[in-house]
Amino acid sequence: METPDNATPAGDPDDTDTPTGIAAKDWATASAEPQYRAAVVDLLGALAYGELAAFERLAEDAKLAPSLEDKAELAKMASAEFHHFERLRDRLAAVDAEPTAAMEPFAKALDDFHRQTAPSDWLEGLVKAYVGDSIASDFYREVAARLDSDTRALVLAVLDDTGHGNFAVEKVRAAIDADPRVGGRLALWARRLMGEALSQAQRVVAERDALSTMLVGGVADGFDLAEVGRMFSRITEAHTKRMAALGLAA
Amino acid sequence: METPDNATPAGDPDDTDTPTGIAAKDWATASAEPQYRAAVVDLLGALAYGELAAFERLAEDAKLAPSLEDKAELAKMASAEFHHFERLRDRLAAVDAEPTAAMEPFAKALDDFHRQTAPSDWLEGLVKAYVGDSIASDFYREVAARLDSDTRALVLAVLDDTGHGNFAVEKVRAAIDADPRVGGRLALWARRLMGEALSQAQRVVAERDALSTMLVGGVADGFDLAEVGRMFSRITEAHTKRMAALGLAA
């Protein structure tokens, strides 16, 4: 698997370890370009709403917990997502963007995703928390390389604070060990999650030009649909490997 | 209204500003008495489960929010309750009590309370958050005077960090100004909340001897039902005054 860390960023074939282009600039310099500015506001809005929606879903899933310890663990994840939301919202305000206006364009896609993938039991909730956390991490890493230094620092800080995955992995593995048929059901579930996530992501990409253009290699290089496809396919591959490691054929 | 701060603590008629009895001791000394120790474990267990349940309900109520800002505000309250839960749970573990075992005796009363008082709209949710927060503060203050210095410091620290009430007060007042009939409906609702809270609290008092005895004036002085009644009545009075200030006839 190509990880975003050692992959050559698209649209920048001469990239070395020294940041170039947008990545070499700070926010004050980079944001002078209106389209870049709009793309970052879009990105922060999408991430902020994503964290708030994740808070709500994890808090909801905590109800399915079989024990008080498990409930507390999911509540802790939910609370961590809320703190990510706060940082992203505060950053939007700090760059004079109205947080609500920045989040709203992404509310429908994220709400639809969560509505389409409401877990029917505790294990489905855990797999969803794990898959969601992992895909979000992959996406944050993909996008970080394309950001100015200030925005990148924020995105990486929010990413750094995640990683609740171990809890989910342990519980899911134990459940599959106890009853291997659970693995088949959860593998189907993980496929559905990924399919629904991609379908909503593609809707967002189609609707938000500035954001999509940035994601695929920077404002100057124009929109490259093939590169969007490659990014989705890197994220999907990473997902497949994680599912296999979890004992779920993806 | 007698506030707990200037009221004479029950069972200690000679109380001055200098702590005496349990309040003059630290945890290491006070917990040598097994009944006191059991009472504090009960108390921390009840508070911890209360905070976890409050987290869940506030996160649930966030769904009713009419705007993204309002949703974020309720999510923030929920997250604060979760952090209170963490402190109380960690304290239970630090005094070698099993947190889950300490919480479980109180789960049913708190779950029943929340089930009986599920808000049917955003304003009912806000009134419930405000009433719940205020009653919890009153109760924490009542009980703090009866605790050893270490436990008291924790209870007051958790209390100090609440006070999200202003948000609810503003929103409820604005709603009543816009439509005075809302006031009548919410007044009924607040009465129902208080009635249900008292009924669950009385069940807990009846079932948990060590805790109840401590609440009414310390282990040495025995159980005084009249003092439990006075404590409930101080809390009810404070509630009535708050509701009146909010524009709700209680």
Side-chain angles (χ1 to χ4, degrees):
Chain A
M1 170 197 136
E2 268 197 334
T3 68
D5 287 337
N6 52 33
T8 302
D12 193 354
D14 299 313
D15 186 60
T16 65
D17 283 352
T18 314
T20 54
I22 286 285
K25 297 180 185 167
D26 64 8
W27 169 252
T29 315
S31 63
E33 166 69 59
Q35 210 188 342
Y36 178 75
R37 188 194 163 77
V40 169
V41 167
D42 255 19
L43 175 71
L44 297 177
L47 296 182
Y49 193 84
E51 299 286 2
L52 191 57
F55 162 84
E56 281 197 287
R57 298 311 308 189
L58 287 167
E60 177 81 20
D61 295 352
K63 286 190 211 154
L64 302 168
S67 76
L68 267 174
E69 287 93 340
D70 290 335
K71 189 191 286 284
E73 196 62 40
L74 241 64
K76 184 178 162 186
M77 292 187 207
S79 185
E81 305 287 8
F82 177 72
H83 295 306
H84 298 164
F85 160 76
E86 285 185 312
R87 293 189 68 168
L88 294 159
R89 179 200 57 192
D90 292 351
R91 177 66 184 162
L92 280 164
V95 301
D96 294 323
E98 214 289 288
T100 302
M103 289 189 274
E104 256 158 10
F106 307 99
K108 186 167 177 355
L110 282 153
D111 288 350
D112 284 353
F113 171 73
H114 286 298
R115 198 166 21 241
Q116 303 282 355
T117 59
S120 67
D121 66 13
W122 169 242
L123 288 172
E124 288 190 3
L126 282 184
V127 169
K128 182 173 168 181
Y130 175 61
V131 166
D133 205 50
S134 308
I135 295 179
S137 293
D138 286 348
F139 177 72
Y140 283 16
R141 271 190 230 283
E142 286 273 346
V143 81
R146 294 164 172 81
L147 295 171
D148 66 276
S149 55
D150 295 314
T151 309
R152 184 170 62 242
L154 171 66
V155 165
L156 291 177
V158 168
L159 165 67
D160 215 38
D161 193 23
T162 63
H164 301 293
N166 287 344
F167 172 77
V169 168
E170 263 174 45
K171 297 278 171 176
V172 171
R173 278 208 181 116
I176 297 174
D177 284 350
D179 178 1
R181 283 168 309 174
V182 166
R185 177 168 69 85
L186 292 179
L188 273 176
W189 170 243
R191 264 205 293 284
R192 220 184 101 205
L193 288 173
M194 195 62 189
E196 196 60 41
L198 285 176
S199 124
Q200 296 301 337
Q202 275 161 338
R203 206 169 87 188
V204 169
V205 164
E207 282 169 10
R208 307 299 296 181
D209 267 4
L211 177 60
S212 311
T213 302
M214 183 186 69
L215 289 181
V216 298
V219 170
D221 305 300
F223 187 87
D224 177 352
L225 196 62
E227 178 50 26
V228 175
R230 282 193 291 274
M231 183 177 85
F232 281 161
S233 112
R234 282 192 296 275
I235 291 179
T236 308
E237 263 180 57
H239 166 75
T240 305
K241 295 198 176 181
R242 273 192 304 267
M243 292 303 99
L246 194 54
L248 304 179
Chain B
M1 170 195 133
E2 268 198 335
T3 69
D5 287 337
N6 51 34
T8 304
D12 193 356
D14 299 313
D15 185 61
T16 65
D17 283 353
T18 314
T20 55
I22 286 285
K25 297 179 184 167
D26 64 8
W27 170 252
T29 315
S31 62
E33 166 69 61
Q35 212 189 340
Y36 178 75
R37 188 194 163 76
V40 169
V41 168
D42 255 19
L43 176 71
L44 297 178
L47 296 182
Y49 193 83
E51 299 285 3
L52 191 57
F55 162 84
E56 281 197 286
R57 298 312 310 191
L58 287 167
E60 176 82 20
D61 294 353
K63 285 190 215 156
L64 302 167
S67 75
L68 267 174
E69 287 95 340
D70 291 334
K71 188 190 287 283
E73 197 62 39
L74 241 64
K76 184 177 163 188
M77 292 187 205
S79 186
E81 305 288 8
F82 177 73
H83 295 306
H84 298 164
F85 160 76
E86 286 186 310
R87 294 189 68 167
L88 294 159
R89 179 199 58 192
D90 292 350
R91 177 67 184 162
L92 280 163
V95 303
D96 293 324
E98 213 289 288
T100 301
M103 289 190 274
E104 256 159 8
F106 306 99
K108 186 168 174 358
L110 281 153
D111 288 349
D112 283 353
F113 171 73
H114 286 298
R115 199 165 20 242
Q116 303 283 353
T117 59
S120 66
D121 65 14
W122 168 242
L123 288 171
E124 288 190 3
L126 282 184
V127 168
K128 182 173 168 182
Y130 175 59
V131 166
D133 204 51
S134 308
I135 295 179
S137 293
D138 286 347
F139 176 74
Y140 282 17
R141 271 190 230 283
E142 285 274 347
V143 82
R146 292 161 173 83
L147 295 171
D148 67 274
S149 55
D150 294 317
T151 309
R152 184 169 62 242
L154 171 65
V155 165
L156 291 177
V158 168
L159 165 67
D160 215 38
D161 193 23
T162 62
H164 301 295
N166 287 344
F167 172 76
V169 168
E170 261 174 45
K171 298 277 171 177
V172 171
R173 278 208 181 119
I176 297 174
D177 283 351
D179 177 2
R181 284 167 308 173
V182 166
R185 175 167 72 84
L186 292 179
L188 274 175
W189 169 245
R191 265 205 293 283
R192 222 183 101 205
L193 289 173
M194 194 63 189
E196 195 60 42
L198 286 176
S199 124
Q200 296 300 337
Q202 276 160 339
R203 206 169 88 188
V204 169
V205 163
E207 282 169 10
R208 306 299 296 181
D209 268 4
L211 177 59
S212 311
T213 303
M214 182 186 70
L215 290 182
V216 299
V219 170
D221 305 301
F223 187 88
D224 177 352
L225 197 61
E227 177 51 25
V228 176
R230 282 192 292 273
M231 184 177 87
F232 281 162
S233 110
R234 282 192 296 274
I235 291 179
T236 309
E237 264 179 55
H239 167 75
T240 306
K241 295 201 175 180
R242 271 192 304 266
M243 291 303 100
L246 194 54
L248 304 179

